[in-house]
């Protein structure tokens, strides 16, 4: 297999020598080739063909039981200097990284095929876009990359004979958790991932390239790669405001990006447009404001909880040409997950491949789930009924507001606005959220997760904060910055806010504030809404609950500032002084 690109050819040759595949196949992006590969995967069991009448073009894949989420503890930033990776990343020096991983990659593809996937993150040829090439021994990876990125000959044509690209190498090897490494070499524009078959670890265009490597490049080149959804809210006048929102994994990005206006707000005639559900690349344009593209072309969404009520657009998106991962297989060859549509099936095959019935008890004494809590669907963005007409616009969309948010049972109110850009960066830097099934770790534990980037920042996070501050100072019209929390609970642990479509009520306030249409009151933590300015039409919510949603508990916040101080201390003198000033101002305002 030869391309016109000499450096690419040499690199492939070198990787072939190490991994020793039986053959090398170029992925051309055609449907014909995809179908041939899927057929092969049905024979080996790597993929299961689903009921083609009910779910045309859909397949199911089960990962290894110990390989169902990102493994942050096995994910490294390999820079020459440890300080460049910073205190929030695992670090390895590049030489050690290559050496350790090579030991596992060596002969890992014997008897297998190496697939060469040329892909573009962002519309091909857009000033935002970056090219990557992933080498992998997994048809599941090929199938997913065909959906979530733009793949094929057209990418090679664009790359030409000497274009720049990110070198992405992946092998399942033995899927042994003790021989699993997800390594990033930002200085070499290279990613090596071995021993896993799970999404975020192996779809190397996504978290590895479009966030870790891209954030590193963004700092050098003066743009931003963020863990953000992008959506547009259109008024009947045709005016569209686009917002970008950073929430940690499994904290509501996909749901907010695809939301449907709730009853009661429908009379206002809003349309919501989905631009992206996970990643935003943002640049300052000639008009001195911030513009964003979604570098992906499909969704890799959380299945459990997705149903026709919570996310009707997602349900419509995943009826065809969708890859399901770790969900329950029903006897009729369709799929199901907890809190999905339809009745709980009376039997099926669970995500581990075992016979399942509702209520059967697992080794931990709890009822076994049919679908893994981090089970996923992979579907083309083009199939989403709310996909923005500007989804493929190489220029992106202008961002009116940036929203940060976490999953907090207490402390953070439903919504508040920063006093300005630097205070907004501060709000991003102090984000905290409960750990979810999207990553291995103590579920439910609150951790600091600045800008939802703690697992994805490809360099020293103190420098990342500085980059954010500098980007703001370069803009005449920077977006306004907000913080939201859909997940505040009562004493019984029930959510106080209905969430999902009703979040539009909060977005409406955010957009009006950004356009300076309404006033707000100053609280110690930021600007808060007057209750009269939140449109609660059609929502059954009592005054007491509303008060709880906006309550600022001074004691909790004082405790919070102590925790923030501890977190900031990790960065030592590298922490931008602006953030210390913001923290001290907050402490003062809290009294
Ligand atoms: P990743 O794809 O892992 O990055 O997750 P995500 O941020 O896209 O989260 P997603 O939208 O898939 O939601 C994750 C979980 O949170 C699902 O179980 C949703 O049902 C739930 N969820 C999403 N939005 C809301 C909300 O507004 N309120 C409540 N209570 N739950 C929500
Ligand atoms: C996340 O965990 O934030 C995801 C899933 O979106 S993964 O692509 O696996 O990282
Ligand atoms: Mn998502």
């Amino acid at each position: 297999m030869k391309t016109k690109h000499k450096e690419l050819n040499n690199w492939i040759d070198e990787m072939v020598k190490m991994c020793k595949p039986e053959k090398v196949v170029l992925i051309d992006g055609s449907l014909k080739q995809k179908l041939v590969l899927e057929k092969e995967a049905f024979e080996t069991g790597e993929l299961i063909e689903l009921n083609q009448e009910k779910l045309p073009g859909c397949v199911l894949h089960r990962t290894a039981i110990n390989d169902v989420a990102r493994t942050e503890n096995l994910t490294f930033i390999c820079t020459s200097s440890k300080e460049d990776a910073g205190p929030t990343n695992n670090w390895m020096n590049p030489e050690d990284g290559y050496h350790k991983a090579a030991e596992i990659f060596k002969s890992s593809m014997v008897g297998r095929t190496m697939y060469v996937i040329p892909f573009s993150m962002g519309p091909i040829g857009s000033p935002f876009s970056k090219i990557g090439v992933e080498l992998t021994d997994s048809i599941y990876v090929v199938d997913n990359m065909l959906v979530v990125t733009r793949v094929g000959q057209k990418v090679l044509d664009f790359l030409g004979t000497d274009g720049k690209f990110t070198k992405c190498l992946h092998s399942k090897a033995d899927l042994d958790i003790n021989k699993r490494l997800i390594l990033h070499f930002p200085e070499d524009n290279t990613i090596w991932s071995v021993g896993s078959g799970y999404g975020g670890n192996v779809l190397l265009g996504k978290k590895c390239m479009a966030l870790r490597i891209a954030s590193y490049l963004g700092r050098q080149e003066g743009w931003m790669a963020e863990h953000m959804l992008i959506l547009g809210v259109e008024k009947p006048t045709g005016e569209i405001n686009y917002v970008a929102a950073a929430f940690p994994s499994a904290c509501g990005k996909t749901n907010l990006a695809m939301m449907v206006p709730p009853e009661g707000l429908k009379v206002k005639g809003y349309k919501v447009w989905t631009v992206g559900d996970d990643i935003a690349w943002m640049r300052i344009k000639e008009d001195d404001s911030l513009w964003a593209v979604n570098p992906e072309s499909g969704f890799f969404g959380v299945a459990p909880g997705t149903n026709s009520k919570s996310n009707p657009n997602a349900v419509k998106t995943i009826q065809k040409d969708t890859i399901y991962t770790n969900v329950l297989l029903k006897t009729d060859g369709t799929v199901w997950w907890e809190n999905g549509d339809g009745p709980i099936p009376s039997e099926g095959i669970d995500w581990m491949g075992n016979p399942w019935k509702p209520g059967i008890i697992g080794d931990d004494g709890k009822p076994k789930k049919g679908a893994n809590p981090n089970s996923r669907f992979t579907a083309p963005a083009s199939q989403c009924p709310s996909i923005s007409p500007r989804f493929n616009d190489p220029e992106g969309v202008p961002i009116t507001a940036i929203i940060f948010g976490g999953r907090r049972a207490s402390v953070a109110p439903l919504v508040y606005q920063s006093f300005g850009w630097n205070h907004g960066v501060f709000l991003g830097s102090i984000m905290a959220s409960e750990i979810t099934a999207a990553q291995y770790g103590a579920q439910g534990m609150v951790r600091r997760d600045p800008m939802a980037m703690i697992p994805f920042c490809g360099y020293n996070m103190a420098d990342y904060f500085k980059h954010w501050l500098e980007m703001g100072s370069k803009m005449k019209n920077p977006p306004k910055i907000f913080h939201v929390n859909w997940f505040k609970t009562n004493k019984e642990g029930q959510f106080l806010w209905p969430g999902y479509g009703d979040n539009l009520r909060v977005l409406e306030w955010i957009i009006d504030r950004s356009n300076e249409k309404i006033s707000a009151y100053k609280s110690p933590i930021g600007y808060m809404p007057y209750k009269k300015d939140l449109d609660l039409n059609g929502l059954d919510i009592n005054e007491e609950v509303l008060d709880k949603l906006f309550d600022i508990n001074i004691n909790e916040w004082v405790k919070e500032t102590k925790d923030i101080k501890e977190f900031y201390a990790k960065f030592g003198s590298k922490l931008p002084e602006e953030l210390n000033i913001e923290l001290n101002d907050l402490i003062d305002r809290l009294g």
Side-chain angles (χ1 to χ4, degrees), residues 67-370:
D67 193 21
V68 299
R70 281 181 294 101
T71 35
E72 292 176 11
N73 57 321
L74 304 174
T75 301
F76 291 80
I77 302 297
C78 306
T79 41
S80 329
S81 133
K82 185 171 184 195
E83 192 173 329
D84 288 346
T88 60
N89 280 311
N90 299 313
W91 174 81
M92 224 187 262
N93 91 45
E95 215 177 299
D96 284 354
Y98 284 125
H99 181 77
K100 274 194 187 149
E103 288 300 310
I104 314 171
F105 272 116
K106 253 180 221 161
S107 303
S108 62
M109 297 190 191
V110 170
R112 299 180 189 176
T113 304
M114 174 191 275
Y115 302 99
V116 178
I117 315 172
F119 63 92
S120 174
M121 299 312 290
I124 296 169
S126 150
F128 285 83
S129 298
K130 297 276 177 199
I131 305 276
V133 178
E134 177 161 356
L135 312 180
T136 179
D137 54 4
S138 158
I139 293 177
Y140 171 72
V141 168
V142 172
D143 237 14
N144 274 273
M145 289 293 283
L146 283 168
V147 177
V148 298
T149 73
R150 293 150 170 102
V151 170
Q153 187 58 44
K154 52 192 194 274
V155 176
L156 283 184
D157 293 344
F158 184 75
L159 195 59
T161 54
D162 59 356
K164 265 212 233 171
F165 66 99
T166 304
K167 300 182 174 88
C168 306
L169 175 67
H170 165 251
S171 172
K172 297 181 282 190
D174 302 327
L175 294 175
D176 178 349
I177 196 163
N178 297 310
K179 290 188 191 162
R180 182 176 301 163
L181 286 171
I182 324 297
L183 307 182
H184 305 72
F185 304 90
E187 291 155 3
D188 303 339
N189 202 1
T190 295
I191 303 160
W192 279 20
S193 162
V194 68
S196 173
Y198 169 74
N201 289 341
V202 301
L203 309 178
L204 299 184
K206 195 174 169 61
K207 295 306 201 319
C208 299
M209 176 175 158
L211 286 178
R212 297 195 191 95
I213 295 291
S215 61
Y216 179 93
L217 294 174
R219 179 180 171 231
Q220 286 182 338
E221 299 168 2
W223 54 283
M224 307 166 96
E226 298 298 331
H227 191 199
M228 291 179 175
L229 68 95
I230 309 164
L231 70 76
V233 179
E234 180 172 350
K235 291 190 180 151
T237 57
E239 179 194 338
I240 308 181
N241 282 279
Y242 293 93
V243 305
F247 307 154
S249 301
C251 291
K253 288 183 300 301
T254 300
N255 276 273
L256 190 70
M258 296 182 189
M259 67 132 79
V260 173
E263 290 304 328
L265 233 56
K266 285 212 174 112
V267 288
K268 287 184 165 168
Y270 286 119
K271 272 189 214 145
V272 178
W273 297 113
T274 308
V275 182
D277 82 324
D278 199 41
I279 299 175
W281 283 1
M282 307 198 284
R283 283 175 185 272
I284 302 172
K285 292 252 285 254
E286 306 75 44
D287 64 350
D288 275 322
S289 53
L290 198 61
W291 290 63
V293 300
N294 168 13
E296 299 188 278
S297 61
F299 308 120
F300 184 60
V302 176
T306 306
N307 61 54
S308 298
K309 230 181 131 229
S310 64
N311 194 344
N313 281 326
V315 170
K316 285 178 196 142
T317 306
I318 61 179
Q319 296 309 312
K320 62 171 188 185
D321 297 330
T322 296
I323 305 157
Y324 290 97
T325 304
N326 291 340
V327 298
L328 178 113
L329 177 62
K330 297 207 301 191
T331 48
D332 68 348
T334 63
V335 291
W336 181 84
W337 45 83
E338 279 69 19
N339 294 314
D341 277 335
I344 300 174
S346 57
E347 59 178 322
I349 308 288
D350 71 10
W351 66 272
M352 291 183 274
N354 298 321
W356 180 91
K357 276 185 172 30
I360 53 169
I361 302 297
D363 294 338
D364 59 357
K366 291 182 195 153
K368 270 194 185 177
K369 299 233 193 269

